[in-house]
Amino acid sequence: MILFLSNLISGISLGSVYALIALGYTMVYGIAKMLNFAHGDVIMVGGYICFFATGQFGLPVPVGVLLSVIVCTVLGVVIEGLAYRPLRQAGSLAVLITAIGVSYFLQNAAQLLWTSNPKVFTSVVTLPSLSLFGLTISDETIVTILACIVIMIVLSLFISRTKLGKAMRACSEDRAAAQLMGINVNRTISLTFAIGSGLAAIAGVLLCSSYPTLMPTTGSMPGIKAFTAAVFGGIGSIPGAFLGGILLGIIESMAKAYISTNLANSIVFAVLIVVLLVKPSGLLGKYVPEKV
């Protein structure tokens, strides 16, 4: 029983990281209708910024995390302005190819700047661990789960209650109509990328704190799995991204513990295929007929 609970908590912790990354995916897709596959590499950039800020320059951890968020936020806006905005009227295939190109550009730029040698990331979390019913829960796990829940709630309130959030929803429904109503569509989409990239920085720091190896490809597989989580839960839905991330983390953790470490990734993607066959819009997604 203790082993099962330990694997469950480990899965929830991993799933919380996936959920944080998936929130960025679902924000961008929900508002801009774009799949930003470079999102996973923004995670890697956030990890490196925090690593050098706290480890090499000796800055306090909160300053390092804040600097990471700022750099990734600016990076997200720059990527949107240079790579995606010129393709606003282009087909989805052109956007997809551009996203893959941006991803490889960030990975290779990281190799040139910081080399491809793995770096040992020092955890930014220094809280005491929690012992509960004979089970020890690490401080990284506690902070990751709490951070994910708080961010999801704040993001949901921001989208539903604020003026900027309503502008985002209007752009998501109909960009042309939103523009006629006086909404600056370009600025709204840039803000969406900024928020998503800021969340990616937080996810990168928490991911590297729990799994302390940092390299230029660190964000690739978590990014793909987070995209899978967003689709699993219903891409475009904030609660769906959260639910999909948590479930994906639990499935992966249980598969590693009880089936096979080597087959864990295959099982995760197989579950996704089954879910999409049964409910193509995802667990919490809504079917939206396409206008022709």
Side-chain angles (χ1 to χ4, degrees):
M1 187 63 181
I2 296 295
L3 180 60
F4 174 80
L5 290 176
S6 177
N7 289 322
L8 179 63
I9 292 171
S10 176
I12 294 173
S13 175
L14 179 61
S16 297
V17 175
Y18 290 157
L20 278 175
I21 307 169
L23 286 171
Y25 272 117
T26 209
M27 281 280 293
V28 171
Y29 181 82
I31 308 303
K33 296 296 183 287
M34 293 180 180
L35 293 176
N36 179 23
F37 281 112
H39 191 67
D41 299 288
V42 177
I43 299 168
M44 171 268 298
V45 173
Y48 270 109
I49 296 299
C50 187
F51 172 81
F52 284 108
T54 57
Q56 302 296 314
F57 297 102
L59 296 176
V61 167
V63 176
V65 175
L66 180 61
L67 184 61
S68 176
V69 171
I70 292 172
V71 170
C72 287
T73 299
V74 173
L75 179 62
V77 174
V78 171
I79 289 173
E80 190 278 328
L82 295 180
Y84 297 133
R85 187 174 297 180
L87 301 175
R88 196 63 55 79
Q89 304 302 322
S92 57
L93 182 60
V95 177
L96 178 62
I97 293 172
T98 301
I100 295 171
V102 173
S103 173
Y104 280 112
F105 172 80
L106 291 176
Q107 287 183 27
N108 284 277
Q111 288 184 8
L112 290 173
L113 289 172
W114 303 309
T115 75
S116 58
N117 297 324
K119 292 177 171 53
V120 179
F121 189 94
T122 303
S123 176
V124 300
V125 184
T126 56
L127 298 175
S129 300
L130 176 65
S131 294
L132 190 65
F133 302 114
L135 186 67
T136 301
I137 306 173
S138 69
D139 48 351
E140 289 90 359
T141 296
I142 296 169
V143 171
T144 300
I145 295 171
L146 290 178
C148 182
I149 294 172
V150 169
I151 288 173
M152 185 205 67
I153 293 172
V154 170
L155 201 57
S156 297
L157 292 174
F158 172 78
I159 294 295
S160 61
R161 301 289 178 85
T162 66
K163 186 177 180 180
L164 288 173
K166 292 175 182 177
M168 287 179 177
R169 285 189 288 147
C171 290
S172 175
E173 291 290 333
D174 192 324
R175 287 187 206 168
Q179 197 163 13
L180 289 173
M181 295 300 292
I183 295 173
N184 189 324
V185 173
N186 286 333
R187 186 176 64 187
T188 303
I189 293 177
S190 292
L191 177 62
T192 304
F193 271 82
I195 293 172
S197 298
L199 293 177
I202 297 173
V205 171
L206 292 174
L207 175 67
C208 292
S209 293
S210 299
Y211 305 92
T213 301
L214 179 61
M215 59 181 69
T217 56
T218 290
S220 297
M221 185 53 72
I224 293 172
K225 289 181 180 177
F227 172 70
T228 302
V231 176
F232 189 15
I235 193 162
S237 167
I238 291 175
F242 175 79
L243 177 63
I246 297 296
L247 290 178
L248 203 72
I250 292 173
I251 291 169
E252 182 177 342
S253 179
M254 292 301 178
K256 286 180 178 178
Y258 297 107
I259 301 176
S260 169
T261 303
N262 295 328
L263 293 177
N265 290 339
S266 301
I267 292 168
V268 165
F269 294 121
V271 170
L272 171 69
I273 293 171
V274 172
V275 169
L276 291 182
L277 287 173
V278 176
K279 197 173 188 298
S281 58
L283 295 176
L284 298 183
K286 295 180 180 178
Y287 171 72
V288 179
E290 187 175 346
K291 296 178 182 178
V292 295

